Amino acid sequence: MTATRQSEPAAVALELERLRGTVEVGFARVDGSLALLVQRTDQSDRQLADHESRLDTLERARWPLPSVAVVTGGVGVLLSLWQLSTR
């Protein structure tokens, strides 16, 4: 019985070491996955910022279009009135 009791702490220590190795591998895997998620989030943030700046540029470049349409319509009305008055 004493031989069993002496080997029992060694067996527990061995199992604890195996468990520690398994936990370390699991943490390494989780850490790698989290690093990948952070990298993808950073890429998404950069892409979103790029899209926002491009959209802002398009919105600023678009404002004269309604003004040009109003001016063109006004010129068309004036030309029509002038044409009718010269007949």
Side-chain angles (χ1 to χ4, degrees):
M1 226 166 149
T2 49
T4 307
R5 288 188 187 239
Q6 288 177 355
S7 65
E8 202 172 288
V12 170
L14 181 63
E15 286 301 316
L16 285 175
E17 187 61 32
R18 286 181 187 162
L19 182 61
R20 179 177 175 231
T22 303
V23 169
E24 284 180 355
V25 168
F27 278 146
R29 186 177 299 147
V30 169
D31 188 42
S33 296
L34 288 175
L36 180 62
L37 288 174
V38 167
Q39 180 183 12
R40 287 182 180 172
T41 301
D42 290 344
Q43 289 174 350
S44 296
D45 289 345
R46 282 193 301 269
Q47 191 176 23
L48 182 62
D50 179 51
H51 287 163
E52 285 179 4
S53 69
R54 289 172 38 194
L55 184 60
D56 289 342
T57 303
L58 287 172
E59 287 173 346
R60 272 184 264 129
R62 172 193 111 113
W63 75 265
L65 292 178
S67 301
V68 170
V70 168
V71 170
T72 304
V75 169
V77 168
L78 289 176
L79 284 175
S80 297
L81 291 175
W82 178 72
Q83 199 173 32
L84 284 174
S85 68
T86 59
R87 283 189 181 182

